[in-house]
Amino acid sequence: MRPLAVATLAIVAGAIGAGLLVTQTPRATETGAFDDVEWTTSRHANFDRWESVCEISDPTDPHGPNERCYMRFVDRFGPEEKSDADDRFGQIAAYITPDGDGLRVKFDVENGLTFNSGGFHLAREEKAVWTLDGDDCLIKGECSFNGPAADALVKAFSDQTAETLYMHVEFTDRYGQQLQRSWPMQPFANAFADFENNVRLTSAGYVY
């Protein structure tokens, strides 16, 4: 089963309701989701560990500066404390970006990670309501959703009725180290609202 179907079916089964300072440093290499064009941050807001970001391309471009806005969550991990394996670092990241008239939800996964069944799921009140299972996208390092599947995920991630809402990520790295990560999802709704406003301004031709 492809991830799109998994996402849609799992959310329906879970009955989920509706629910940096400006810098001139190029950020393209930090997003992990875009091309190698040089971009500078035009706006940046933190919502816990979720970030709402806008960037502008080189203003000297003869075609004029372009602007893009997106959300991201970057989870960087390393060796356990007091470990001598100081080179065992990696990251898993999530991005929300415009996709035509809709949205794209994308997860970038460090190479060499192994996930057991249910090892990547959204937990509402400590119960899994969406699981990234059933496909080899985690092995390939990229899981991407658009259309209705992306809309359903954003709706689930924005749930403000839950007492607890987090993304549980459990995996084994390429060195055999077993790690568990917990992503706070309660701030997602505010971050997404900021992102939507940024996209709206960008679509109207506003440049920061």
Side-chain angles (χ1 to χ4, degrees), residues 30-183:
E30 296 182 25
T31 66
F34 303 102
D35 53 38
D36 293 329
V37 175
E38 287 193 358
W39 298 80
T40 57
T41 301
S42 53
R43 188 178 182 199
H44 183 286
N46 284 330
F47 299 84
D48 198 318
R49 294 174 62 192
W50 287 94
E51 301 172 89
S52 176
V53 184
C54 287
E55 297 174 333
I56 191 168
S57 64
D58 187 350
T60 62
D61 189 324
H63 301 291
N66 293 311
E67 188 177 28
R68 65 185 183 191
C69 299
Y70 58 94
M71 277 178 61
R72 68 182 174 195
F73 183 101
V74 181
D75 185 4
R76 296 181 177 88
F77 55 86
E80 298 176 352
E81 292 185 10
K82 300 181 180 180
S83 170
D84 58 357
D86 57 1
D87 61 338
R88 297 184 186 181
F89 290 91
Q91 71 177 36
I92 302 173
Y95 298 94
I96 315 295
T97 61
D99 185 58
D101 293 331
L103 297 169
R104 180 172 297 276
V105 178
K106 178 181 174 182
F107 298 95
D108 281 342
V109 180
E110 186 80 14
N111 291 333
L113 306 187
T114 302
F115 295 82
N116 293 328
S117 178
F120 201 131
H121 68 258
L122 179 68
R124 184 183 191 275
E125 317 294 19
E126 307 301 326
K127 294 182 180 179
V129 293
W130 173 77
T131 302
L132 188 54
D133 267 349
D135 193 89
D136 61 356
C137 68
L138 287 172
I139 298 174
K140 293 179 179 178
E142 179 181 312
C143 300
S144 185
F145 307 86
N146 59 5
D151 293 340
L153 285 177
V154 168
K155 184 177 180 179
F157 296 168
S158 300
D159 183 9
Q160 295 293 286
T161 67
E163 292 186 10
T164 61
L165 188 70
Y166 63 92
M167 190 75 76
H168 176 85
V169 185
E170 184 175 353
F171 57 92
T172 302
D173 70 9
R174 71 187 73 182
Y175 305 102
Q177 179 179 227
Q178 296 182 352
L179 297 171
Q180 293 187 23
R181 318 294 290 179
S182 181
W183 299 0

